[in-house]
Every structure is written in C-alpha cells, then in structure tokens.
Amino acid sequence: MSEQTTDTPPEQLLRISLRVNGVTRTASAPARRLLSDFLRHDLGLTGTHVGCEHGVCGACTVLVDGQPVRACLMFAVSAQRHEVTTIEGIGNDPENLSPVQQAFTECHALQCGFCTPGFVTTITAYLEDNPDPTPEQAREAISGNLCRCTGYQNIVSAVCRAAEIRRDRSDRTEIDQLVDLGTPDGEGGSRA
Amino acid sequence: MKPGPFVHHAPTTVDEAVAVLGEVGHDGKVLAGGQSLIPVLSMRLATPGHLVDINGVAGLDAVHVTDTAVRIGALVRHAGLEQHDEAATALPLLRQALRNVAHPAIRNRGTTVGSIAHADPAGEMPSVLVLTDGVLEAVGPGGRREIAATDFFLGPLETTLAEDELVEAVRFTRFAPATRTAFLESSRRHGDYALAGVAVAVDVADGVVVGARAGFVSVTPVPSVLDLTPVLGGWDAGAPVPDEVTDAVREFVDPEGDIHATADYRRMLAAELTRRALATATQPTPAADPASTTAHESVA
Amino acid sequence: MSTRQFGERVQRREDPRLLTGNGRYLDDLGLGALSAAFVRSPHAHARIVDIDIDDAWEVDGVEAIYTWEDLTGRVAEPLPVLIPHPALTHPRTGYCLAKDEVNHVGEAVVMVIARDRYLAEDAAQRIRVTYESLPVVVGVEAARAAQTLVHDDAPGNIAAHLLQEVGDVTAAMEAAPNTLTIDLEIERSACMPMEGKGVFARWDADEGSLRIYSSTQTSTGVRAAVAAKLGMPLAKVECIAPDVGGGFGVKIMHPWPEEVLVPWAARLLGRDVKWTEDRREHFISSSHERGQLQQVTVGFDDDGHLLALDVQFWHDNGAYTPYGIIVPIITATQLLGPYKPGAYRVEFWSLFTNTVLVTPYRGAGRPQGCYAMERTMDAVAAHLGIDRAEVRARNFIQPEEMPYDHGLMFQDGRPLKYDSGDFPASLAKLKALVGWDDFAAYREEAAAQGRRVGLGIGCYVEGTGVGPYEGGHVHVETSGRVNVATGLTTQGQGHQTVLAQIVADELGVRIEDVHVTTGDTRRMAYAVGTFASRGAVMSGNAVALAAKAVRAKALRIAADALEVSADDLQIEDGVISVKGAPGTSIALSTVAVLSNPLRYAFDESSKAATQFAGTFDPDKPPVADDEEPGLEGQDFYSPTQATFANGMHAAIVETDPVTAEIRILRYCVIHDCGVMINPMIVEGQVHGGVAQGVGGALYERMAYDESGQLLNASFMDFLMPYASEVPHVETDHLETPSPLNPLGLKGAGEAGTIPVTAVIASAIEDAEGFPVRSMPISPSELWELRRMHAQSPVPVPAQEGSR
C-alpha cells in the first residue's frame, strides 16, 4: 500500500427527490448516480436489477410516467420531474400478486428470477396499451428483454395469461361494485 | 461500469444551454435521451467534465406538421414521434423507420434529434433525414443557422456541428402525396443495429415509376442518397425489380466487415433489401393507413 | 386423502417472493458495505513492470488499494487446482492478483476498495500499470502449432493429453468396408447468467468469524477454499448462497480470485466489503467454454453399422486449468450418445491459450461431443444414401442391453455405464412429433414457393446426478412447520419446490408447511454443489431419505402416545392416525412437542412437553438411549455412479435463398430424465436449455482478435438471443426410471442445450446440400459458404476412405 496523499475535493452531492411508486423519496447523491443505482442503493428498492449497465438486457426496466425505460440509461437527477414505478410499485406483496405476477407463477415464466422484474414492468405497461395480444404480439412485446433461463416460451404464455387475468379481475371488480358497492379487489397491477 | 464524475447543468432555455456549452467547450456533452451517451459514459469510453442536460429546456418537445415538413424538437422521443399520427400521415416513412430503432424501452427515452446528431452510420434516422432532404436547426453563440442534412454528416460520429452548438430541431421534408416509401433492415437480432438497412421513396405516375431514391443504414460511412431514377424510371410498378437496381446499389454502398458480417455480405444485403423495399413500396395497396405500408420486419 | 405432490405440475414456492421485488440477490445485500473494483489486464500476455497507485489515493473515499505484493500468507499463493487428474501433466492456475505476469485480458492486477463502486472505479482508472508485452497465443490452431508458448514450462501448450481405447480400433478400421474422416470446429461461448458473480463478506471482530455471501453454485466449496486460503478454522467461516441470478456452470468454478480477496480484505479492514461483477468484467474475467477442433474417422459397413470410431480433438482450456480436464473428458466419453461405436479410440489434447479460462458451461463438453457424433452420423447416412434417422436407429443400444457398459472411465472416475433408456422409443416419438416421414413432401411444397427448408436431428445421452453425495436435513417444528435443508445451491431450478414436493409426500404433510433452504453452510455443512444436472437426483433422494427417518421417528412417538403399533399408523396432511380408525389421531406438531422433553414452557404447546405434564415411565430417561431430542432427521445419498438421461431433438429450418438468413420454423424435443418430480419445471429446463443451444448454434461466439482482445465483450455484440430469436419448443417426454436411486430420477438441467448445435447444423446442411462443419454459423458465414460451394460445385462431404 502506498501512503495517502492529498485528497481531491469530494464530489458535490445533490439532493435528489423522486416520485417513486406514488411516494416522494429524497436522498443525496452525485449527478452521475444512475437511476438504477439510486433506486437500489440510495432508496433500498432492490427489486430493480442490474444485468448489463449498457441498456441491452432490460433487467433494470422501470416505468417512467407509465412507459418502460432502462433505469441504467437514465440519471437519477433526470428522473426528478417524472413518476417512477418499480417492481415494488407493481406489487410488493407476495400474497397479493398483480395480474402479470400471477400469470408468471401460473405459467412458470421465471426460473432464477433475476430478469423477471424487468419483464413484469415491461409487460404491465404493454398490456395497458394492448390488452388482448396474440402470442406473436406477446413475443414481440418481450423481445427487448433478455432472459437466460426460460427460453421465453413460458413468458410468452404469461403475457397472454396476464391479459386474461386482467380482464377477469376487471369484470369481477365491476360485478363487485354493482353487487355490493364493496371495495374492488386489489388490482396490484394498475399503474401509478 | 459507472460513469466518471461530471458537473450537471440543467438549463431551462436554449440560450442558457448554448451559453453553458460555450463555457465548457470541448469538455461538455449534451444530454437529451442519453441512450447512446450513457453507455459510453458508464464504460468510461468518454469522461466529459460537464453534461448539459437539456431535458428541462422548455419548448423542445413539440412535433409540428406543416405543408412542407415535419419539424421535431430536440426532446421529441422516438416513441413520441412514432406514435404521432399526424406526422405518420404526413410522412409515413417516419413510422416505418422508427419501428426499427432498438426496442420500445429505448425509443421511450431516446430522442430522434439526438440520434441524428450522434451521426452513427448504423442509425436509422440520419438516413431518413437525408433521404427527405431534411434540415437541421442549430443554435450557437452566434445565433441560429440551418444545416442541410447532406452537409451535416462528415463521417462516422462526426458532423459539422460546432462544440458550442445545439441542434434545436430537425425538419424532415414531406414527400409529394403520391410518393410511396418503405423501410427495411436486417439485423442479427431483433432490435440490434442493422447489418444493412434501406429507406426508399418511389414516385409513381400512372403505374409507372418516375422517380426513385434510396438511403442506406450501416453500409455507407455517412448517410447518403442513391438516385435510382436512371435505372428504375419507366419501370412498371409491381413488376419484378430489375437487376440493374441491385447492381447500382452494390456499386454505391461501401460497407465494412466486422465480427457480425463480411463487407461482401452487407453489400449483397443492401442490394437485396433495396429490391424488396422497392417491391413493398410499389405494391398496389394504397397507403391510406400509414401503418399498412410499414415493412419493419427483418427479411427472414 | 392428501394430494400426492410428486409428479405434479406444482407452482413454484419461490415465485411470489421473486416476482414482487423481494428476492435477495448478492448485490441486494450489505447496504453500506465498502465496494471493491479491480484493475484488470488490458493485455493477453505481458510482464508487469511497474504498478503506480499513488494517484489513486487522491480519490476521496478510497479505503484500500492492494497489489500482489500486499497479499499475505496463502492468499499470495496460486489458486488451487480443484480437480487434479493424472493426465493433467501441466496444471496451471493464476494468483488472486497477478504476480509478475498476466496471461489473459481481464486478469485481476489491483484491487481497490472505496466507499462506493463509483469511487472505486475512479481510483482504479488512476492506477498506472506498466506492462512489457509478450507473444500471444489465441485459438486452438495457434496453441496446437505452439510457435509461442503461454507458459514457458508447458511445451506444446499442452496442459493435458489423454487417450482411451476400447477394442482394437486400428484393426476394426482397416476391416471396415467404408471409412470417412471429417474435420469439425466449434467456437467459444459462455454461460452468461443475467446476474454476474459477486461476493459480500462480513467480518465479525467480536467472534473472530467470517460470513461470506457468494453468488455461487457451491457454498461448501467456497467456505472450505476461503478458510484454507485465510488460514481460518472452518468453524469460524460460514458461506451462504443467497438468491442466485443464474449460474449455468460459471459459478461452480471456485474460488474465484474475488471470493478470496473480498473476505480477506473484510477481515483486514474490519469492515463489510462487497464486489459485484459488472457485465464487462464477466465477459473478460469469468470463464468460457466450447472451443474445440475435432477430427473424426469412422468405419462402417454398407448398412451403416459403426465398426470403428477414432476421434481426436484439441480443446482450448484458456490460460489456466483450475477445473482440470472435466470438460474434455466429458466430450470424450459422452460423444458416444445412444450408439454402439464398435471399436472406439478417443484422444485429446487440452491446450493453453492467452484467453480467459475454460470451465463447464451447461452441457459441459457434451454439446461438442454430440456435435462430433451427430455430424458423423449424418455423414455416414449421406455416404450410404440411407435415411438419417434410420442410420441412427441401426446403431442404438437396445433397451434389453441395459445396463450398458462402454468400458470407458467417466468424468467422476467411475465406469461409463448407462443405467437405463429406451432409444428406439424416443426416436419413434421424435419422428412422430416432427413429422419425419412427411418432411419430403413439405420440402417439395416449400421449394415450389421458392423457399428452402431443411430437417435436422440430434441424439444424446447425458450422464447426470454424479456423486459423491448430498445430504438432507428435515426438522418438524412444534408449529407443524417443516424445515428442509440441503447443501447444494439453487440458481432457478426450483429446488424449493421440488424438494418440498418430495418431503411433503414422504412425510405426509401439506406442501405449504414445507420450507426448503439450499446452499447455506449454517444449515448443512456437508454438500458438494449444483452442477452436472445433479440437484434433483442427489438432494431429492437425500431429502427423501431424511424425511423417511423423520417419519419413522414420528410414528414411533405417536405409537407410544396412542398406544398402538407404529405399523398401524399413517400420516396425512400433518396428522398421524390409525389406519381405518381416523378418530384416533395425533397431529405431527404435537409429536414434535413430545419429541423434545422440556423443563420450561414458552407457550401452550410446549406446556405439554414439560416434566409435570402427562404421564411418563419414571424408570426411563426422558430421552431414550437410542433417541435424540427433537423431531428431525438427516441422511445422505451417495450413488455408486451417474444416472444417464437421454433425449432426441429435431428441427426444421428455413434459409433465405438470397440473404442466407436462418429461421427455425419448428423445434421438437423428446426428453427422458427418468421420473419427473415436476413436469412443469422439467419443461422449463428444456426450454431454457434449447434457447441457450440456439444461442450457441446461431448467435453467440467469443470473438477474440489475434492479440487476445475480446472484440464483443458486451450484450450489444455478444448476441444472446431475445424472445424474437428463440423458436417455440414442442416437447414430449418419456419416463424411463433410473434403477439406481429410490425415486427413479435422472437429471434434467443441462439436457436441452446438448444437441442443439448438432441439430441446427444438420438442418442447415439438409437445406443447403453442402456440409456444415463449423459452428456457430451466421447468415454471413452461410452466404460465404454458398459462394465457396458455388465456385467448386462438387463439394466433398468428407474425406472418403479408399475402400
């Protein structure tokens, strides 16, 4: 080891405030902090995973204003004006899965689970715009995310199954509301 | 793989942005969508001391469709332009090409102007801009200037933009209403940079081609246009594309080989894609729905 | 009646947690830990002249900088040769940090530890290492030519040389009416899990103990290796594999330099230290596999029966050999697949190159072996004009010949003896699934439309479930919760589900009550690891044995309590009852209470086990001489040899007549892994394996230039397939139970990957009409092959023998 010499001045920290999963969260971080790292290490939202840090694998996909975006290709400081939704915002309760999460377990669409949050965010947003995809469209919809375990086949099935669950739940919600004006069952998949 | 330190500037007007660019000079980079820039920073292939983040600059996110052009501001995202129905109707080639730009998550963040200013020969939109005889609107300390797309690109990742200038907007010139277009590219994987790609614009009068031009992706050092009218003029739209066309393309393009494909393969591919794009563009189906003429799938 | 779980498509127990952002992967741990980054060699072969770290210290937040000079004790010694073998005549391993010399791009030279990763990289960037370049060896041909050497004292760049022969190949070849010789090439790829490697170490100064979390396929291996390197008692080191984001082999290699250095630094600094590998590091400093050159000479009769098979191959083992010669041994033995080769001779050379090391990647040498054998089968069929499936069928080992001993030594040092399998049945199923006999008509129809299609086939046998052993521990809490522990690790194979299925059935409890822990040395100190498709076979049988022991104990205690014979008792849904008299029953949770005589009561249930509760025999001790307190049991499963799974794949591909783009139209799989615990999970393994195989056949390669730089060290240029590149896989199963273990299991983890390269090569060859001898193949390469064959229109499919 060498002796310590004069330090460079510490990097300037910014106070970064983000709307994440409907809540305003604030932390100090330098301007270069990637959104993925800010979510994971500064806010403790470790459900967003980092697989390549160059925007190809899609594991870190989060929703920014409802649209899928690579969190590794955005600085936290740039996300301040936007609404960010992570996997925790799609559904953080293992007992109460969103339609996409439910479909993933039914269809065995995950193995190691590392890429899964990026798929779930991507598919959740996709189904908002395309509620009834064909298997071909489902395959296209997930073709910007890498998975090394599943071979994608069951993920394609899960996209179609999630569309069904969404419809079932929204039908049921309407019936519930008509019948007893009770609380609709928690559709964890609805986007913030 | 983490970016090196930089000072983050967040101007709110174009003038402010230009002023900061003037101050930081060579040590500054403009951050718009960041989809090409941030990987470069994370890999520390570049370590600029200053980032001029224009995302807070008002008025740069508009798409204007006029009688002659589609003008898009520097903050219009690929996805925003792709989904802009008025733009797609005015210039169907925009949507046809944009669907080939990477994947939706990248298009949601990446800006069309940014990818043009980046001047990657593998970018789709520089070629489209050149094929439409488009114009860049740049702002610098000395004021605003317009740069014809054909004068903008100097080489791979190299342009005539000064380091204290910002591209505020680009204008894609609209084609005549009867002009038919198609975009085709072939990449190793869906969403990858193309091994070769082509945008074609064909003018047909009474079922006969009266003009045809093609712009290329990944097979020329700078986006450039091949006028195919001499070899295609008078051709019956819908008949098999004559071999003279593919010969002309093979002669025109100047691809390089890399780990994904040989130069000869890319040359062949550019020619074949052009043939197929021309066939697609001149199919008898009218282009009422701009999406209907989109040929964005790879060939296979 | 409780529902039997074994054999059912049970949804995975681990999913809800992983789906909701509640997984805990390596980098999710240790918030606030110091972060390590490495200066890695930019040269493939160089001498280190000087390392200047002064400038790096100027970065605010730097805590430590280490070079080899700073390493202490055994940490400064070379890394271990994990699997020695007599044929490995020149084993070489690197150091944790390079000493004097670097032998591949990416080799770690300096470790920086700082407050966070950003700062650690800032400091790493400021470190100047002066190198003196040395000549570089890249690729098998250069290694074989040995114009220059990777290691001066390894002549010919040969790390290992092995020859095995069964029968008299020379005589059999001379007597064969037909012979062919074919030269084959297969390139490098890599496991490329979505989560790279990572290590997090926590030094407990009060206890003098170390806890290591590693994204590993073997926590017991890492624990033992680190304890040895750091000179610590094993009892003071624990290792846990948390959620692991994929392994595929690269994480069975251990200890990686970082797995030693990070704990070492944590102890030295008295601080939590973490290293999370980034993708670029993964490409250049984690291992690769597959690269081989092969030459096959085959002798056969006029009906296509093999009479002699003579194989030589040259295996690229990279710069070091920590994992021994496991990969080429597997190629050499598993090459035979379902066939009887006649006389067989195989000889290989494992060669050093100045590239990152080569250790098992899913399939582990089998894809190369299958490729060699199946290309040979196609060549024989083409030579004789016999249907390709028929040639294969004629050479199959028949079901009645099982167990079948090839007379060779397998990778585990034990005989290559197939336990079971019905190859003719598998082939019949495959032909039906893909429509083998209808393909000629389909091809004609396609040709009429100007389309070019081809059909390919590939068959393999896979040794799975190798020893030496795994253990199972089953513990029933007084709440009725059943804790199951096994020592091997999990990277997505669903062990928490399949092992719970087994225990639920064996013990007679609800699967919801069963909780499985894997890869935690605190819970199971004796284990080997997850590799070679062994998880279900080894730990499945181990936990079944452990559950049986617990069941027997529970029945003994219940029999006492109910005053009946244990033989008359049954357990269903956690309740022990007398067969035929369901009213007489006792809950398993109560038995758990009774199993542990107590002095102190903590809650209602424990009251029942205290010394003044109930009746007891004053002449007997509370815990009988031959009993232990608690309702738990442990057992180990150790097989005499591997089980042998098998499968057959077929694909239909279309090649664009102009652009040579290749599209897989159909992909069909027949898979036999013995009895399936959970068919849903088995199919998932097959799908994933096929996708990786497709990557290896058409997209992935490691593109090194002549100077040893990896040109495509990113996901932009290393073309791992997206969903858009992977075909829909049609699967059908055959279940031929293994006679070797009580559950009849064989492994399924790697199967899907093994034959894909062979199948795709076969299909492209069929579509194009000329031989495909080098894989992977890109459209550009296929197009260039077409040009070559157009110029010399009489392609020679193989060198033919003189007879």
Side-chain angles (χ1 to χ4, degrees), chain B residues 1-3 5 43-44 103 186 188-190 192 259-262 264-265 268-269 272 276 299-300, chain C residues 118 121-122 125 278 280 656 658-659 661 698-699 712 715 717 719-720 722 724-725 779-780 783-784 787:
Chain B
M1 273 169 69
K2 308 292 181 190
M43 294 180 191
R44 300 200 186 207
H103 294 107
S186 176
R188 288 291 278 117
R189 293 176 302 187
H190 180 68
D192 279 347
I259 60 171
H260 300 302
T262 61
D264 282 354
Y265 178 79
M268 173 282 297
L269 195 57
E272 177 63 13
R276 294 181 189 185
V299 183
Chain C
Y118 290 73
E121 289 190 16
D122 290 351
Q125 198 177 17
D278 70 30
R280 187 166 47 177
D656 188 291
V658 181
T659 65
E661 285 168 297
L698 295 176
Y699 297 99
N712 58 342
F715 280 164
D717 288 314
L719 306 177
M720 235 161 89
Y722 288 106
S724 35
E725 284 70 52
S780 175
W783 185 77
E784 297 287 354
R787 284 216 294 191

Side-chain angles (χ1 to χ4, degrees), chain A residues 1-2 6 8 32 34 37 40-41 51 54 56 91-92 101 105 111-113 139 143 148-150 152-153, chain C residues 12 15 19-20 22 25 27-28 54 58 65 70 118 122 190-191 279 684 688 692 700 715 721-723 726 729:
Chain A
M1 262 191 277
S2 154
T6 333
T8 47
R32 58 169 155 160
L34 296 166
D37 287 335
R40 292 175 46 74
H41 301 311
H54 49 273
V56 183
N92 193 217
Q101 291 166 334
T105 188
Q111 289 181 24
C112 82
R139 192 171 275 274
S143 70
R148 194 57 159 170
C149 291
T150 64
Y152 304 105
Q153 189 150 326
Chain C
R12 296 204 322 168
D15 286 356
L19 278 164
T20 51
N22 288 296
Y25 300 85
D27 191 51
D28 304 340
D54 289 352
E58 293 186 20
I65 302 173
D70 302 308
Y118 290 73
D122 290 351
C191 304
R279 189 52 58 183
Q692 262 176 331
E700 298 167 10
F715 280 164
Y722 288 106
V726 176
V729 178

Side-chain angles (χ1 to χ4, degrees), chain C residues 774-788:
Chain C
S774 180
M775 290 292 278
I777 188 165
S778 67
S780 175
E781 286 163 324
L782 178 57
W783 185 77
E784 297 287 354
L785 266 185
R786 281 181 185 168
R787 284 216 294 191
M788 198 183 84

Side-chain angles (χ1 to χ4, degrees), chain C residues 539-581:
Chain C
S539 284
N541 282 292
V543 300
L545 292 171
K548 278 189 212 297
V550 172
R551 179 190 177 91
K553 181 170 187 178
L555 294 184
R556 278 201 305 276
I557 297 168
D560 271 357
L562 297 174
E563 297 180 329
V564 296
S565 160
D567 295 341
D568 296 333
L569 294 174
Q570 59 184 10
I571 316 182
E572 279 182 353
D573 290 342
V575 175
I576 304 174
S577 60
V578 177
K579 290 174 196 163

